Amino acid sequence: MSEKDLLAAADSREKKKRPEQQCEAWHYAGLKRLLTGDNAGASEAFRKTVATGEKTTNEYDFAEAELKDLGR
């Protein structure tokens, strides 16, 4: 699945689920970017993960840790 398709799928029709799904989608997009060596893009995606405010998800915590490791 492309990143574009992943992020589009995260835009749930149920407003209540949308922030959690976007948090997860941005985190996995960040991981993919990180694995391909795109550290700047990964940092951007991890910042968007954290920006969702979904502190109850593991992906939020992982994104914060990745940002710390990337020094951003």
Side-chain angles (χ1 to χ4, degrees), residues 29-46:
L31 285 179
K32 184 174 181 183
R33 291 177 183 188
L34 191 62
L35 290 171
T36 63
D38 181 6
N39 289 357
S43 292
E44 175 189 358
F46 293 139

Side-chain angles (χ1 to χ4, degrees):
M1 173 179 278
S2 72
E3 181 177 309
K4 181 180 176 181
D5 289 342
L6 174 66
L7 296 171
D11 283 333
S12 173
R13 291 183 183 179
E14 294 182 49
K15 287 184 181 183
K16 192 173 185 177
K17 290 183 178 183
R18 191 175 300 154
E20 182 178 353
Q21 290 176 334
Q22 289 175 338
C23 179
E24 293 168 347
W26 277 115
H27 174 258
Y28 293 111
L31 285 179
K32 184 174 181 183
R33 291 177 183 188
L34 191 62
L35 290 171
T36 63
D38 181 6
N39 289 357
S43 292
E44 175 189 358
F46 293 139
R47 283 193 299 276
K48 289 181 179 183
T49 303
V50 172
T52 65
E54 287 296 310
K55 295 181 180 182
T56 60
T57 66
N58 289 329
E59 288 81 4
Y60 181 96
D61 295 332
F62 296 149
E64 283 190 320
E66 291 292 351
L67 285 169
K68 186 176 179 181
D69 286 346
L70 290 166
R72 302 193 199 284

